Amino acid sequence: MADLDNTDRTLLRMLQRDGTLALAELAEAVNLTTTPCWKRLKRLEESGILRQRVALLDPVKLGLSFTAFVQIKTSNHSKEWYHCFVETVSDFPEVMEFYRMAGEYDYMMKVQVADMAAFDKFYKKLVNSIEGLTNVTSTFAMEPLKYTTALPV
């Protein structure tokens, strides 16, 4: 792990819970004045440890309660195909996460949509946008049991 001390870890844990905390609140929690606290945050940002601060939205309240996990096999592993595939899939707003895998499947993605009809539309768009897919398998989440964006620092 990166060279982090307890103060850095505390700041990161706090920001993972609430990215809107004011600098003064953060500084007070770690017993620093605002300037050294700001410098620590700046160092964490510049090192890439603190990548961005975002708002987390509730998919159910936005009408996007259908979660699918799509696993893909391909027969084409060329550099050109890979770049085209990644670029195409990355442009789909329904794809929340996208991974190249080791094991039985080559790729996996998490897809968030309104319902089965919306997923079917996404699925058709996916398979008609990319040549060389040999197997596309989908599973659907019935109930989210744990969801976090907080890393264990």
Side-chain angles (χ1 to χ4, degrees):
M1 192 181 295
D3 187 26
L4 302 174
D5 63 17
N6 286 336
T7 301
D8 292 333
R9 291 178 200 285
T10 300
L11 289 169
L12 291 171
R13 281 192 297 273
M14 291 177 69
L15 287 171
Q16 285 188 111
R17 281 193 301 273
D18 184 355
T20 66
L21 288 172
L23 179 60
E25 289 177 86
L26 293 167
E28 183 179 333
V30 295
N31 297 316
L32 293 174
T33 60
T34 56
T35 300
C37 185
W38 178 84
K39 286 180 179 179
R40 280 178 179 265
L41 293 173
K42 190 74 173 157
R43 179 178 47 79
L44 291 167
E45 288 173 343
E46 289 171 354
S47 70
I49 292 171
L50 181 54
R51 291 190 337 205
Q52 60 185 336
R53 301 179 202 194
V54 300
L56 299 177
L57 308 180
D58 186 322
V60 173
K61 291 182 179 178
L62 292 169
L64 299 169
S65 61
F66 193 88
T67 305
F69 296 92
V70 180
Q71 296 173 305
I72 296 172
K73 290 182 183 181
T74 182
S75 58
N76 191 338
H77 297 280
S78 72
K79 182 178 178 180
E80 296 79 19
W81 183 90
Y82 169 80
H83 287 296
C84 180
F85 178 58
V86 170
E87 185 175 315
T88 300
V89 171
S90 295
D91 284 342
F92 293 162
E94 303 92 341
V95 176
M96 305 308 298
E97 298 178 47
F98 181 35
Y99 302 94
R100 187 170 62 87
M101 305 296 291
E104 184 177 351
Y105 289 91
D106 298 311
Y107 300 93
M108 184 172 73
M109 61 186 79
K110 177 182 174 186
V111 176
Q112 198 75 41
V113 292
D115 52 27
M116 181 59 86
F119 178 77
D120 186 49
K121 184 177 176 182
F122 163 81
Y123 177 88
K124 290 173 183 170
K125 180 173 66 169
L126 173 69
V127 298
N128 289 311
S129 297
I130 302 154
E131 297 289 325
L133 304 181
T134 58
N135 185 341
V136 179
T137 301
S138 303
T139 56
F140 308 103
M142 295 173 48
E143 175 185 16
L145 300 175
K146 179 179 180 180
Y147 170 78
T148 184
T149 61
L151 295 173
V153 294

